[in-house]
Amino acid sequence: MGEAHRKMLVFAEGIGGGKLVFGLRNPMDPVSELMMAFLAFAAQVESQSISDRATGATAAIRGMPLRWRGARPPYGYFPSQGEGDHFK
């Protein structure tokens, strides 16, 4: 996709503190193509890892009996005592 639209990826601070540029404008630069593939793979792995952690945390919280009972609910919230008792 980047090759077709002649895109560049520029990091303000790369290795050694200088600007790091990966240009897909030059089709003869295999290093840029390799680095882009590596960064895309790392982004996919991190995305899946974040999703797994969020799903696991949500499942753990839902599994806790009476999450707020016996502890203070977050600021501004009150535990419901029954039907129609939403606001105090």
Side-chain angles (χ1 to χ4, degrees):
M1 183 86 172
E3 298 91 0
H5 297 286
R6 298 175 42 93
K7 299 292 179 182
M8 292 178 64
L9 181 62
V10 180
F11 293 94
E13 292 188 20
I15 299 171
K19 182 170 73 169
L20 184 61
V21 178
F22 296 116
L24 295 175
R25 295 178 180 188
N26 181 4
M28 301 304 289
D29 188 9
V31 174
S32 289
E33 189 173 340
L34 177 65
M35 289 302 294
M36 291 294 203
F38 176 73
L39 291 171
F41 174 75
Q44 286 178 334
V45 169
E46 187 61 23
S47 174
Q48 185 62 43
S49 176
I50 291 169
S51 176
D52 291 345
R53 283 194 306 266
T55 302
T58 303
I61 289 171
R62 285 186 180 153
M64 292 179 186
L66 306 173
R67 291 179 270 182
W68 287 348
R69 304 275 166 83
R72 291 178 49 179
Y75 180 76
Y77 289 90
F78 297 97
S80 178
Q81 300 298 323
E83 294 295 321
D85 192 19
H86 301 291
F87 300 101
K88 289 188 175 188

